């Protein structure tokens, strides 16, 4: 299974996980669900980044096959983004809540789709810079993808 299938499986799982999840009321997303994208935001010359918020981007970063016949290790970064124009500047709470949902899902069951397994460690980070009213966070996950099998034991 290629990393592209992994990305699609993660997207399907995140869409299920975030169905019914909304940013805080102060973020102004009354009824707007979390959008999930693969690799980057879509190109739309009429849209601004705020038009897509809140969102999660699934980005395949790199992979490694240590030995033939072993599982491929694929690093995935999840980028979380939301906006909060409230005076309390609490958009980081939405970011933390979104990342917590993913951590809990992986902890309960590290299997994603039929073929992919999340491995430890799970790393996460929230932004260091002040980008009010936009807030960002990131999570690094590593998945084992099924090994490529040789066609013959003599190959």
């Amino acid at each position: 299974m290629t990393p592209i299938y992994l990305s699609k499986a993660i997207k399907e799982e995140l869409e299920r996980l975030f169905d019914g999840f909304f940013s805080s009321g102060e973020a102004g997303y009354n009824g707007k669900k979390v959008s999930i994208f693969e690799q980057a935001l879509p190109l739309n010359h009429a849209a601004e980044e705020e038009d897509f918020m809140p969102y999660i981007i699934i980005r395949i970063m790199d992979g490694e096959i240590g030995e033939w016949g072993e599982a491929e290790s694929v690093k995935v970064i999840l980028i979380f983004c939301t906006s909060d124009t409230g005076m309390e500047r609490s958009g980081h709470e939405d970011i933390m809540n979104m990342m917590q949902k993913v951590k809990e899902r992986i902890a309960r069951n590290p299997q994603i789709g039929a073929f992919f397994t999340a491995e430890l460690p799970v790393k996460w980070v929230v932004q260091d810079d002040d980008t009010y009213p936009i807030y960002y966070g990131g999570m690094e996950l590593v998945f084992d993808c099924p090994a490529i099998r040789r066609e013959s034991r003599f190959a």
Side-chain angles (χ1 to χ4, degrees), residues 42-49 51-52:
L43 289 177
N44 183 339
H45 300 292
E48 299 289 328
E49 181 182 21
D51 296 333
F52 298 107

Side-chain angles (χ1 to χ4, degrees), residues 8-75:
K8 294 186 180 317
I10 294 170
K11 182 177 182 186
E12 289 176 10
E13 186 59 33
L14 290 179
E15 287 172 343
R16 275 192 295 276
L17 188 63
F18 284 92
D19 186 38
F21 180 90
F22 303 101
S23 293
S24 65
E26 290 182 351
Y29 294 122
N30 299 325
K32 190 168 180 187
K33 67 178 189 166
V34 176
S35 299
I36 314 292
F37 302 102
E38 293 180 76
Q39 287 306 114
L41 293 176
L43 289 177
N44 183 339
H45 300 292
E48 299 289 328
E49 181 182 21
E50 291 85 1
D51 296 333
F52 298 107
M53 292 180 199
Y55 67 77
I56 302 170
I57 297 174
I58 305 157
R59 189 166 292 162
I60 303 293
M61 295 303 291
D62 61 43
E64 180 179 355
I65 299 173
E67 288 189 33
W68 293 120
E70 287 187 358
E72 180 175 9
S73 178
V74 177
K75 185 190 309 178

Side-chain angles (χ1 to χ4, degrees), residues 149-155:
R149 302 284 181 215
R150 292 194 174 203
E151 292 178 1
S152 165
R153 64 186 175 114
F154 301 111

